[in-house]
């Protein structure tokens, strides 16, 4: 059975990564490839690394061009996906890489995004408790933010097992620059980025914070408070997340490890590494895998969990394709049988 | 039909890249995975990016461990591959990533390698005139050096078409550090490499020079002299080769372009880019593709051809797998349906 | 008045950085330049960036070679500095870049370093309350660890002002590879480091933790507990420290900012940036400056302070030279009038 | 004697580098700091690495603001410097970092820049034969292009000594991204640059080619033809130039080395390294030094000369300050006593 898939935002990093994964997906035929301002251009001039799709011509991002496909991947500015999705046939599986449908709470959305809440769609992180079931047969998918993907993979097992205090989670993450997109902004110039590191969005206002608190809170069964600081690292891809939470009294290293082990033992894409081996983003570059490790800092009374992902793959397009596979009843790892690229 | 393949040097970069490509090759079952000093170790601790092979255990690199496989990939110190190959069953396809069997000339070998010439095996660069035919049904393959792969892809079409003067080829190439291997040497430390560039092996003594002259000379039908300077770039993977040769009198831009176009029009992995688009190693990272472009500098009377490859993929393991496919009569791109990874 | 200065460990990164700063220090004449295993070599072959010192010849690291200088910079293996210092003339100012004399607590030393405590020397971080005074006229200086330098710059003002809870400090730092030294280790190879990030020393055992707790505890007047996670970033130099501490009840953003402002208003090398401007290690590369910014995450009840330094300059050699200047009564910024190098 | 210096283009990379060097120049007081579109802004918000100048306020780039200074550094769009210089007092030393006054040939200017030739000013590369003399007492200086600086340092000694054939020079250079400036262009984004390399301006049309031919031709006493290919490397600063020229019959390695040795023996900023030691841009980062090495490839009949500089320092601002010192009769290395920054 061949699924026809349309991809919008094809000239950007997320759209390009979706196309890279779909190009050799055994069950997919790529349909319309669309972008706002590059209609009529050959994909090869915009995404020269996608050799097998070089001669495809981009069309405008319109409902007309996207309809007629079984699946539509959207990467649009805020507020646009709901409206476009509403104009597609009912049976179309719409997968939104944007933020519009990630948050369940209207209040949280309005506080952090300052616009009307578009509602929430099934959340594209299958490793979360209950998420895989919610994705089966779904016709709408909200792809998580990249930082929330790695943060939730890092800490949800502890919350789900009732081992962590909910009130004082501290997360610091380092991301490659592709997470900031392809727009030409001065602070993202190679000259500004190479050879150094700096933070941004510090202090509680980062839009990924409510998304993390949503996932942690759902798993914990109570509100969780997160302090999140992102930093920009001199690399193109990857997110290394260092997440810490206070451990409930009486919980020890063995119980902690057991919780993460059981959470991920059967997961195809989330791996708790053998003891003593620590994640590194080069382990997962270009792949849908996430690697994790934890340590119990007894002195500080905190568990420290480190998670490495590729922000464009597991953090965006890979998570999207994985969710698509589940929604359509395909093999979950179809098109995602990719090892990391190292060195 | 499933081919069983053994891979030696599995803890190094070349062996790791071969495993990465074979892990999802539709016709391959990976047999023995061997390494000199890591026998008994779990592959996951040495090559953590190879998730699907994490639990494979390495064995010693011996003829006994390698025999019993249809194909054996060798990555051994100089002088060892011929001897080991001789102890394998006749029907085994032996693919040597080392230099031992690349050169046809005994004199050239002895001059540049200072040891006894082991003879030459079919050369693993199918894009060369006659190479594909020589690989069909072969039971021995010499994988080219990474720099010679990109240099020959860059200039052979011009020599084959009789358009270039043979006596004054100048090539400058920039390579990522993985080409230097995994041995811990001070000059390869991240602190020594990041943020800068420097040359090495300058002045005619580089071992890849005779290999380039061999390929150019075969295509030209006369000896070709090359000045080759490699430089080390602050990146893990990739080779950008800038190759120039003087153009024969009366040859113009159109004839030059036509020669490269026809040389590569039907090639699955070598691509002359549309006019105006230039190669970049990020177009081919992690893939077996090579991108090329040429310009006729009329003022200087030289054609300048730039070729981008991934030194570990098309430059080593990808070229090896491609050659294996041809030798065994498989689809040439089996296991190599990989786009580049960008950004 | 010209001070004669001897520098040991001259072939390493720390020694090289000390020499770079001393080469144009207006009050210094560089005396003996020593190294363990490079005696007799020309400095230019080991530290080719030190052009004005290229023809200096290294001698053995012995008390004889070091004596006869007013100041001796030591960079030796653990346990060696006390013994060597004891064999130098009483009046010699000995500045130890190693860890031996950083910790006041014998118990802490033995726990983290597993050897006999050598005692503590005046601590080379003048920005700490009381530190400058302790350095004046000193004849022994312990140069802080690089991570503790940035961590203490980040949080001590808050502890000194009584604004922070002492029991749950969480610090995540990203460092360039030069902090790991020049020894050729596989995990520090450019191929292993470039393009990715990973943590190390996770979980409370890092030797810099007691040093941070020492500084915080002194400022707070009570024990402080720290969870510290270092990560390795794909850059040669720089440390970006993200430090968070819970804020005492009733403390608001204005009080927080005022504490850091007054702590650093008169400091030549520690700068609280204007509101809205955040630190970046490229602001301080190659210079003795540290840049800082803070934000009060009211939602999380934590202050987040980010500090950027160059691990080799303010984090090691610059801090050492700054302390030397104070000890000898020279202008504190002598030899340290260096802007950052950007881009 | 204090020289007052005004710097335009203060928000860009070249202007920032000039300011960095002048900030601690013993004979300089920085006067007006100007920029087109940032008038009124605090320098600290635009160039946060220039700590000692953080509170300086930028003014508009006008003749009025620049006049009243002994020296004016210009970094303006093409065609603007001559006109602005004409409106400054006669005695003002005007140093133009732009291209307008680099070429002596009107025909070459019009061919490569497509506008009216503004004439030529004394050329700011003192190491060239006769250049230092021409700079003494000058009131106009044309700062060379960065690539031509390294190319001429690389080959002029050989041409001046009559050892090289003039007709077939081949140069390939790799540059850090800062050479392309601070304008936000997509191809210069960190995501596009990090982890790879690519060429640009291939084929003879690069504007630096006539500048190289001018310097080579002057030294040779006859026209020299150059094929020049620039490539963009994943680093912020640095140029590594690999330049080759055919060696005249009868010329051997000893004569070649002697020519470069004598050319640079007394030069403060150009260094022919000891035999066997090769240049690396990390040897000269942030400094006005250039390191060189040559090898005679007898097989190819070419000398290969490699030169490493920092494109912003020796390639732009450092060369400018060095020329200023000569023009004003100051110590030539005033303000330029800087070692390279390594690692």
């Amino acid at each position: 059975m061949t699924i026809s898939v349309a991809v919008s935002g094809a000239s950007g990093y997320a759209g390009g990564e979706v196309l890279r994964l779909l190009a050799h997906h055994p069950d997919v035929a790529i349909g319309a490839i669309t972008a706002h301002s590059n209609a009529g251009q050959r994909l090869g001039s915009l995404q020269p690394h996608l050799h097998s799709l070089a001669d495809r011509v981009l069309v405008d991002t319109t409902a007309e061009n996207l309809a007629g496909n079984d699946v539509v991947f959207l990467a649009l500015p805020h507020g646009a996906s709901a409206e476009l999705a509403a104009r597609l046939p009912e049976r179309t599986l719409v997968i939104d890489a944007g933020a519009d449908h990630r948050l369940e709470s209207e209040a949280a959305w309005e506080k952090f995004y300052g616009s009307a809440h578009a509602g929430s769609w099934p959340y594209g992180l299958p490793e979360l408790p209950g998420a895989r079931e919610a994705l089966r047969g779904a016709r709408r998918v909200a792809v998580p933010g990249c930082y929330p993907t790695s943060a939730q993979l890092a800490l949800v097992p502890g919350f789900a097992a009732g081992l962590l205090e909910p009130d004082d989670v501290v997360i610091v993450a380092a991301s490659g620059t592709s997470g900031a997109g392809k727009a030409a902004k001065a602070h993202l110039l190679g000259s500004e980025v190479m050879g150094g590191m700096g933070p941004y969005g510090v202090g509680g206002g980062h839009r990924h914070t409510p998304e993390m608190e949503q996932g942690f809170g759902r798993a914990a069964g109570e509100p969780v408070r997160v302090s999140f600081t992102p930093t920009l690292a001199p690399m193109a891809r990857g997110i290394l997340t260092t997440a810490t939470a206070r451990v409930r009294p009486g919980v020890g290293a063995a119980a902690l490890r057991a919780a993460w082990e059981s959470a991920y033992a059967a997961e195809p894409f989330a791996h708790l590494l053998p003891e003593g081996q620590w994640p590194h983003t080069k382990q997962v570059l270009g792949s849908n895998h996430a690697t994790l490790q934890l340590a119990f800092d007894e002195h500080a009374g905190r568990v420290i969990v480190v998670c490495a992902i590729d922000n464009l793959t597991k953090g965006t397009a890979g998570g999207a394709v994985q969710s698509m596979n589940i929604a359509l009843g395909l093999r979950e790892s179809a098109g995602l049988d990719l090892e990391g690229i190292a060195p």
Side-chain angles (χ1 to χ4, degrees), chain A:
Chain A
M1 170 181 78
T2 302
I3 312 285
S4 63
V5 179
V7 180
S8 72
S11 58
Y13 291 146
E17 185 73 349
V18 170
L19 287 170
R20 182 177 76 88
L21 299 175
L22 295 181
H24 303 285
H25 189 300
D27 308 308
V28 162
I30 296 174
I33 300 181
T34 87
H36 274 309
S37 41
N38 302 104
Q41 286 193 50
R42 216 175 134 266
L43 189 69
S45 63
L46 298 166
Q47 305 279 18
H49 63 293
L50 300 178
H51 303 278
S52 69
L53 300 174
D55 293 327
R56 299 293 300 267
V57 176
L58 273 64
V59 295
D60 261 329
T61 303
T62 64
E64 293 67 41
N65 285 332
L66 296 170
N69 289 277
D70 300 310
V71 183
V72 172
F73 283 87
L74 296 181
L76 305 172
H78 291 321
S81 48
E83 189 244 353
L84 189 49
R87 296 193 281 131
L88 294 169
E90 194 66 40
R91 61 172 192 78
T92 312
L93 168 56
V94 180
I95 301 177
D96 186 7
D100 290 15
H101 298 94
R102 294 176 188 161
L103 297 183
E104 292 164 20
S105 157
E106 181 171 5
W109 176 268
E110 288 173 3
K111 176 179 174 190
F112 282 88
Y113 289 87
S115 61
H117 186 219
S120 68
W121 289 357
Y123 194 70
L125 187 54
E127 292 81 7
L128 294 185
R132 191 171 269 112
E133 293 68 40
L135 286 167
R136 288 196 185 107
R139 281 301 170 262
R140 297 288 183 267
V141 174
V143 182
C146 48
Y147 285 121
T149 291
S150 63
Q152 290 173 94
L153 286 173
L155 289 183
V156 158
F159 283 116
L163 305 179
L164 309 176
E165 301 281 11
D167 61 299
D168 199 9
V169 172
V170 177
I171 300 177
V172 178
S175 176
T177 53
S178 58
K182 211 167 177 176
K185 296 181 184 171
H187 73 286
L188 296 174
L189 285 174
S191 298
E192 297 293 310
V193 170
M194 287 188 286
M197 280 190 69
Y200 63 100
V202 189
H206 198 278
R207 288 172 163 176
H208 285 164
T209 305
E211 205 178 324
M212 294 176 191
E213 292 186 346
Q214 169 176 282
F216 298 153
R218 279 195 103 183
E222 57 178 326
V224 173
R225 270 189 327 179
V226 174
S227 163
F228 169 61
T229 304
T231 64
L232 198 63
M235 56 196 193
R237 288 177 172 245
I239 290 178
L240 188 81
T241 295
T242 304
T244 85
R246 290 192 299 112
V247 173
R248 290 206 138 119
V251 174
L256 289 165
R257 187 163 187 86
W260 269 263
E261 256 172 10
S262 66
Y264 295 134
E267 284 293 344
F269 292 114
H271 313 282
L272 181 66
L273 294 171
E275 294 212 57
Q277 202 176 346
W278 283 86
H280 195 285
T281 63
K282 286 170 77 82
Q283 298 165 350
V284 294
L285 196 130
S287 85
N288 197 47
H289 295 277
T291 51
L292 298 106
Q293 189 55 270
L294 65 131
F296 180 28
D297 183 345
E298 291 195 58
H299 167 70
R302 285 186 170 262
V303 66
I304 303 167
V305 189
V306 179
C307 176
I309 63 168
D310 182 319
N311 59 295
L312 287 182
T313 328
K314 181 52 173 163
T316 310
V321 170
Q322 183 185 357
S323 300
M324 175 191 85
N325 291 339
I326 294 168
L328 298 179
L330 306 172
R331 181 170 60 94
E332 187 171 331
S333 55
L336 299 171
D337 288 320
L338 298 168
E339 311 300 332
I341 307 275

